[in-house]
């Protein structure tokens, strides 16, 4: 098996949840963790490596971008984080400035890596990274609505009393307030929601409640405990596995979209095929008219932000 190396930028709650998840799942042979606060990164790595006797052998080090040479993937979780009540989009220019300094250095040392952006607002930061890096389009992606999609499937499965892996459903668009639940495509064993039971399995009111819980999950968790980290750590691990194991897995990562569903030149999430090349292709999804309008609205919101940032 070929060596699998990743660099995680940002040793905060999200970066370390990603690191811990990948460590215990044996995803990598080598992991480099960098942070502007080097002392924190060293402390986090010390804490992590003391668990290595209990997991698959993995080389883990705290380092600089230079130690990332040879990385297959660079996972960017660095940046300012959402404050209670703050929208993801409000973070934007603060993080753009951080990325302006960071991305050219990352590309200098890791020119062949796939860039996986997790920092928020993730769709904007993915677009910014694409522009700043000059890398091929498919090699820059964001975690997008992979987490929101997992939340959606979890809540639907809980309601339907099924294993969430057997519930197929997608959240698309912005990872944020304008995200879109694709109700028309929710299915179990190919059977749409409307045909699942004798009567209405999920009345409209219930559907709205489920989507509200998906959309507001981050706000509520941040309000209660200050950050979200475990589920995004697991979601990121799945994306990394899809890339490193060349899985052709369909995931709602955020990537560059041009001339699709009336969307032009921005990054957002649509079901996409992810493999060793990064985003190999974005799938065509037939949406109902309401979903299409909602997706276009999501794109419009993102495009307005992109028009306002100074790159
Ligand atoms: N995409 C998603 O689904 C998702 C989910 C949760 C959180 N997030 C986002 O992930 C990001 C990180 O969240 P967190 O809770 O880990 O925050 P955090 O504050 O705990 O960690 C951020 C880390 O980035 C570091 N950092 C800041 N500037 C840096 C730089 N220039 N170079 C290197 N490191 C730098 C900080 O020192 C800190 O350790 C936030 O933007 C958050 O909104 C995204």
């Amino acid at each position: 098996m070929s060596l699998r190396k990743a660099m995680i930028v940002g040793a905060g709650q999200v970066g370390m949840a990603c690191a811990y998840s990948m460590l215990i799942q044996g995803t990598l042979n080598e992991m480099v963790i960098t942070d502007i606060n080097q002392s924190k990164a060293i402390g986090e790595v010390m804490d992590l490596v003391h668990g290595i006797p209990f997991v698959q052998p993995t080389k883990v080090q705290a380092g600089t971008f230079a130690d990332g040479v040879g990385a297959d993937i660079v996972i960017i979780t660095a940046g300012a984080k959402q404050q209670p009540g703050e929208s993801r989009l409000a973070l934007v220019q603060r993080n753009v400035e951080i990325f302006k300094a960071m991305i050219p250095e990352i590309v200098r040392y890791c020119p062949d890596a796939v860039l996986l952006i997790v920092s928020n607002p993730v769709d904007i930061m993915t677009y910014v990274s694409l522009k700043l890096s000059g890398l091929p389009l498919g090699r820059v992606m964001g975690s997008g609505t992979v987490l929101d999609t997992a939340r959606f499937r979890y809540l639907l499965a809980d309601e339907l009393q099924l294993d969430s892996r057997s519930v197929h459903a997608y959240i698309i668009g912005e990872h944020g307030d304008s995200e879109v639940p694709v109700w028309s495509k929710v299915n179990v064993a190919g059977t749409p929601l409307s045909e699942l039971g004798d009567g209405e399995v999920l009345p409209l009111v219930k559907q709205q409640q489920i989507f509200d819980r998906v959309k507001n999950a981050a706000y509520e968790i941040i309000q209660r405990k200050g950050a979200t980290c475990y589920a995004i750590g697991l979601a990121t691990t799945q994306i990394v596995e899809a890339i490193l194991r060349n899985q052709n897995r369909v995931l709602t990562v955020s990537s560059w979209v041009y001339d699709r569903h009336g969307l032009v030149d921005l990054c957002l999430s649509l079901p996409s095929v992810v493999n060793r090349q990064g985003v190999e292709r974005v799938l065509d999804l037939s949406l109902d008219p309401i979903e299409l309008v909602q997706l276009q609205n999501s794109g419009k919101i993102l495009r307005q932000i992109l028009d306002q940032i100074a790159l």
Side-chain angles (χ1 to χ4, degrees):
M1 175 150 333
S2 61
L3 286 178
R4 301 182 303 262
K5 175 172 177 175
M7 175 161 71
I8 299 176
V9 183
Q13 311 223 42
V14 172
M16 293 318 299
C18 293
Y20 181 68
S21 168
M22 290 192 290
L23 184 71
I24 64 172
Q25 294 188 61
T27 305
L28 303 168
N29 303 97
E30 194 174 341
M31 196 189 299
V32 176
I33 300 174
T34 72
D35 197 287
I36 199 162
N37 181 346
Q38 282 187 334
S39 174
K40 180 171 184 348
I42 291 169
E44 291 287 0
V45 167
M46 285 172 70
D47 194 6
L48 213 51
V49 294
H50 296 159
I52 284 183
F54 306 114
V55 296
Q56 300 275 344
T58 308
K59 183 179 171 192
V60 186
Q61 60 168 326
T64 62
F65 291 150
D67 296 305
V69 167
D72 303 289
I73 302 188
V74 178
I75 303 160
I76 303 182
T77 72
K81 71 175 174 187
Q82 256 174 299
Q83 298 301 313
E86 184 184 35
S87 84
R88 292 183 182 97
L89 294 180
L91 277 176
V92 68
Q93 193 65 39
R94 276 200 282 160
N95 279 341
V96 170
E97 296 307 320
I98 293 174
F99 274 48
K100 275 188 194 167
M102 219 165 52
I103 298 289
E105 282 299 285
I106 291 172
V107 175
R108 186 170 143 221
Y109 289 109
C110 311
D112 300 320
V114 172
L115 294 193
L116 173 55
I117 315 302
V118 183
S119 312
N120 274 322
V122 69
D123 303 290
I124 302 292
M125 302 320 298
T126 303
Y127 184 90
V128 165
S129 302
L130 188 62
K131 294 290 164 187
L132 292 173
S133 68
L135 290 176
L137 296 170
R139 267 217 276 138
V140 181
M141 72 178 88
S143 58
T145 56
V146 175
L147 173 58
D148 316 69
T149 293
R151 287 173 174 150
F152 193 34
R153 292 173 67 198
Y154 168 77
L155 290 173
L156 282 168
D158 194 40
E159 201 59 47
L160 299 170
Q161 298 192 327
L162 290 167
D163 182 330
S164 51
R165 293 170 300 181
S166 302
V167 177
H168 306 286
Y170 298 99
I171 300 282
I172 58 171
E174 178 205 359
H175 167 60
D177 297 341
S178 71
E179 65 191 22
V180 181
V182 189
W183 286 108
S184 67
K185 292 286 181 285
V186 174
N187 77 84
V188 176
T191 308
L193 209 47
S194 55
E195 295 170 24
L196 265 186
D198 290 338
E200 218 179 3
V201 245
L202 276 186
L204 278 180
V205 176
K206 194 81 214 167
Q207 290 186 15
Q208 190 58 48
Q209 281 171 359
I210 288 176
F211 177 56
D212 286 345
R213 285 176 68 193
V214 170
K215 196 172 62 170
N216 297 324
Y219 291 118
E220 184 175 348
I221 297 168
I222 290 168
Q223 197 72 47
R224 289 176 185 276
K225 58 165 272 198
T228 68
C229 59
Y230 303 121
I232 184 61
L234 290 165
T236 302
T237 304
Q238 293 294 292
I239 303 170
V240 171
E241 296 258 354
I243 296 166
L244 292 179
R245 297 182 192 280
N246 201 27
Q247 284 176 340
N248 287 326
R249 183 160 175 191
V250 175
L251 292 166
T252 50
V253 288
S254 182
S255 69
W256 190 66
V257 176
Y258 191 86
D259 204 11
R260 201 180 275 259
H261 301 296
L263 303 166
V264 179
D265 189 27
L266 44 81
C267 289
L268 52 59
S269 290
L270 289 168
S272 306
V273 178
V274 178
N275 65 22
R276 192 64 191 80
Q277 308 308 312
V279 174
E280 200 250 329
R281 66 184 190 279
V282 176
L283 295 179
D284 276 323
L285 190 63
S286 60
L287 299 169
D288 77 18
I290 293 175
E291 292 160 352
L292 181 61
V293 168
Q294 289 173 337
L295 179 65
Q296 288 172 342
N297 176 54
S298 194
K300 209 160 103 189
I301 288 168
L302 289 167
R303 189 65 249 172
Q304 280 167 357
I305 304 288
L306 290 172
D307 289 342
Q308 284 167 33
I309 58 176
L311 257 184

